[in-house]
Amino acid sequence: MNDVLPRRAHLITLEGGEGAGKSTALATVRDCLQAAGCTLVVSREPGGTPLAEQLRAMVLHSSRQDDADERLHPSAELLMVFAARAQHVAEVINPALQRGDWVLCDRFTDSSFAYQGGGRGLPVDWIADLERRVVGFVPGLTLWLDVPVALGRSRVQGRGGVPDAIEREHDAFFERVHAGFAARVAADPQRFVRIDASVPLEQMVAEVTRAVNAYLAQVRR
Ligand SMILES: Nc1ncnc2c1ncn2[C@@H]1O[C@H](COP(=O)(O)OP(=O)(O)OP(=O)(O)O)[C@@H](O)[C@H]1O
Ligand SMILES: [Mg+2]
């Protein structure tokens, strides 16, 4: 699916469903890169610039129960996450990569394929077109933190806080998101490393460390 888009070797992304352990794994990846002497920028999506963070808030806090008169339409959600991504790529990711820095991002375009494509059922070719026009490249390495939906949900609930508009979705939605990620991995197996995120934390951290160090060895060969 991504065979025409160039890879950016210095861009590493973390993907997965709710509570998979992306933010936890991100700290491990950051430590590996820093230990290897890489200069890096750490960011997240949707977000990563002031404007993109405003779009994130609009997407995640839409249709709250106390303000439920207008639901965000799926295609509006897709365009808003890509509007945020356009800003993020232009303002943060491209300048960092052009400087020769590394960029580590908590979620990226694969999440749009999984959530807006798989979850919301929007056409994959539309998302692929936006990816080509707005982003124009794929990461060099993407870690897919793979966790069963119910386990991810229980971790998020254990963390407390008010669920956002996505977190309030039903399990069927998250099963489609999971299938969306699995389809992305199947379509581009060389870019992805699947991390079993259902194992105990130390084991997951060890797997992530191994994957990142293997990738660094390959890129710097
Ligand atoms: N392998 C693991 N075993 C047990 N607990 C874990 C594991 N990975 C993460 N956790 C815990 O689960 C919770 C969710 O993890 P984390 O915040 O990293 O997930 P996330 O994918 O970033 O979630 P979100 O989608 O909400 O951003 C945290 O409390 C974290 O400490
Ligand atoms: Mg997180």
Side-chain angles (χ1 to χ4, degrees):
M1 194 180 293
N2 284 318
D3 47 350
V4 290
L5 292 183
R7 279 168 201 230
R8 295 286 181 260
H10 280 200
L11 173 63
I12 299 181
T13 58
L14 291 138
E15 297 282 4
E18 314 297 303
K22 298 176 294 300
S23 303
T24 308
L26 183 133
T28 303
V29 181
R30 185 198 56 211
D31 292 349
C32 291
L33 291 175
Q34 283 174 341
C38 304
T39 306
L40 87 153
V41 173
V42 177
S43 198
R44 69 166 183 180
E45 288 213 346
T49 81
L51 191 58
E53 290 289 335
Q54 283 186 44
L55 286 159
R56 176 193 180 97
M58 289 170 75
V59 169
L60 295 182
H61 300 294
S62 70
S63 61
R64 298 180 74 105
Q65 266 119 21
D66 55 355
D67 184 20
D69 49 339
E70 185 179 3
R71 280 193 68 85
L72 187 61
H73 191 279
S75 44
E77 182 180 283
L78 174 69
L79 294 170
M80 284 162 77
V81 296
F82 265 97
R85 182 163 300 129
Q87 286 297 121
H88 190 214
V89 168
E91 296 282 324
V92 176
I93 296 180
N94 272 338
L97 295 176
Q98 275 155 17
R99 289 194 303 270
D101 291 353
W102 288 72
V103 177
L104 174 56
C105 195
D106 192 332
R107 294 194 183 282
F108 196 53
T109 316
D110 294 304
S111 277
S112 293
F113 283 93
Y115 283 76
Q116 283 76 45
R120 303 282 185 224
L122 292 170
V124 166
D125 60 348
W126 188 20
I127 305 172
D129 193 42
L130 285 168
E131 178 187 40
R132 199 163 51 245
R133 290 167 187 272
V134 171
V135 183
F137 54 81
V138 292
L141 172 68
T142 300
L143 300 182
W144 177 37
L145 283 297
D146 183 11
V147 78
V149 168
L151 180 54
R153 189 182 275 285
S154 73
R155 286 182 187 163
V156 170
Q157 281 163 353
R159 211 169 40 187
V162 181
D164 65 37
I166 300 278
E167 288 166 353
R168 286 199 301 274
E169 286 294 340
H170 299 289
D171 280 356
F173 174 88
F174 291 114
E175 292 295 351
R176 295 196 300 274
V177 169
H178 186 270
F181 279 125
R184 293 292 289 165
V185 177
D188 193 0
Q190 289 194 320
R191 171 163 66 92
F192 284 92
V193 174
R194 174 188 171 274
I195 302 287
D196 182 352
S198 64
V199 300
L201 206 51
E202 316 76 64
Q203 211 173 316
M204 186 188 86
V205 165
E207 268 194 65
V208 169
T209 303
R210 198 165 33 241
V212 173
N213 287 336
Y215 179 70
L216 283 175
Q218 180 196 318
V219 166
R220 295 179 145 188
R221 203 169 43 207

